[in-house]
Amino acid sequence: MVAPVQGCATGHQSRGSRGAYSGGALAYRYHNPVAIHFGDGSLAQLPAILAGRRALLVTFPEARSLGLVDRVTAIVGSALVAVEDGVAPNPDVADLAPLYERFWREHGECEAIVAMGGGSAIDTAKALMVGTASGRFDELVGLLAKGGTFTPHRVKALVAVPTTAGTGSEVTPWATIWDRAAGRKHSLHLPQTWPEAAIIDPDLMLTLPASVTVQSGLDALSHALESIWNVNANPISDTFAVAAAREVMATLPLLLKDLGNRELRARMALAALKAGMAFSNTKTALAHSISYEMTLRFGLPHGIACSFTLPMVLERAAGTDSGRDAVLAAIFGDLAGAPRRLREFLASVGVKTEFADYGVDAADSGRMVTHALDGVRGKNFIGHRGARA
Ligand SMILES: NC(=O)c1ccc[n+]([C@@H]2O[C@H](COP(=O)([O-])OP(=O)(O)OC[C@H]3O[C@@H](n4cnc5c(N)ncnc54)[C@H](O)[C@@H]3O)[C@@H](O)[C@H]2O)c1
Ligand SMILES: [Fe+2]
């Protein structure tokens, strides 16, 4: 059994906005403060964005051999004070604690963090950027575990440079912090953890292997759909989500046959960005709530864990709310056949869609879904009220 997900309140996220407009009155709020730089070669904007501020580069281990560390060093020059290139997938408190404490001890003079990598590197940077009074990471984790309010003692600016097309972490304030030893995950989200700027340079994604291309692409599809069957949805998040879901489904199969295609990489990068813009205001819902246990227990990569249940969640969502059905129909057309078409799409990119395919029997999956519905993200699902496993 996975312990309940805990998090810190953002203090500014409006909730229940869908209730306002589905009741007839158009009343909602959309907020995203991230300055977006998109396009091949946009990495060159980094010095202008930093504007002379000293920065730490946080990145993934292969970034050095791929030449990315040298590229950043060349364009940022002496303003780059250090490089942390040991970020492994799914940042865990066990790895983050020594990194965090070393960063605040040795690089307190840094004014900015440049996170270059997938969601793991960007989420690591979000954990680093908010300093505790003691400089200790367990102070932050303790507050997250209790669901207490955390007011950072010191804050660094964050420039996010994604090298995967998936998490949308470059345009959200969320960071997932894993605690595998305790069998749980924490969600860090504060007004201070929005990136200041995002540089989305699809050229940086050309080296992504097929496996991570699928995983991250399906994470984006999940973000788009989860923002639609969500009690926090509004017409602006819907607009981003519909475009993102359609573009992922049209582009990902083509990209898998042609991983070096720059135009397709750019289309996936844009789709993932739009999905990020959608769920930056809604958060995720049931499929993500289920995914955390699948990742913690079975080590399933995040993008597979949060997407293999999408057809099942779509079946539950359809018919719950006519307004939501209309938005889903803009992606799938006829909703009656939509779960089958989503299953076929996932199969076409090599993803199995039943719990049994992952070694989870019917009793265990039923319990897992019930538990996920009661999780923080599960409660965002439009089918949560009156839902059954
Ligand atoms: N903060 C958010 O809003 C948010 C949303 C979704 C997921 N997440 C988190 O993001 C993480 C997953 O992120 P991800 O899917 O981007 O993968 P990742 O960052 O874990 O990276 C996956 C693998 O790809 C490699 N890699 C990354 N970019 C590469 C490139 N350009 N070329 C070659 N290899 C590259 C990495 O080194 C790693 O081995 C999970 O921990 C998940 O919980 C966060
Ligand atoms: Fe996700």
Side-chain angles (χ1 to χ4, degrees), residues 1-4 182-184 293 296-297 367-368 371:
M1 177 77 67
V2 175
R184 67 193 303 179
E293 185 168 346
L296 284 165
R297 275 179 59 192
R367 183 208 52 75
M368 207 184 275
H371 180 66

Side-chain angles (χ1 to χ4, degrees), residues 219 223 288 302 306:
D219 191 19
H223 296 157
H288 272 72
H302 175 72
C306 72

Side-chain angles (χ1 to χ4, degrees), residues 8 100-101 103-104 113 123-137 139-141 144 150-158 173 175 177 188-194:
C8 285
Y100 183 96
E101 287 163 23
F103 169 66
W104 283 101
I113 301 176
D123 285 8
T124 294
K126 287 177 183 170
L128 293 183
M129 72 193 283
V130 284
T132 55
S134 64
R136 289 183 58 89
F137 192 60
E139 187 184 330
L140 172 55
V141 172
L144 290 177
F150 171 56
T151 305
H153 189 65
R154 300 161 285 181
V155 180
K156 310 293 183 190
L158 172 61
I177 296 174
L188 171 68
H189 47 103
L190 297 167
Q192 294 87 352
T193 48
W194 287 98

Side-chain angles (χ1 to χ4, degrees), residues 97-122:
L99 178 60
Y100 183 96
E101 287 163 23
R102 190 170 68 245
F103 169 66
W104 283 101
R105 199 172 53 241
E106 295 177 7
H107 301 299
E109 83 286 4
C110 264
E111 292 140 310
I113 301 176
V114 176
M116 173 184 269
S120 297
I122 300 173

Side-chain angles (χ1 to χ4, degrees), residues 166-168 176 218-220 222-223 226 279 284 288 291-292 302-303 306:
T167 71
T176 305
L218 294 182
D219 191 19
S222 186
H223 296 157
E226 294 255 275
F279 93 108
T284 53
H288 272 72
S291 80
Y292 303 128
H302 175 72
C306 72

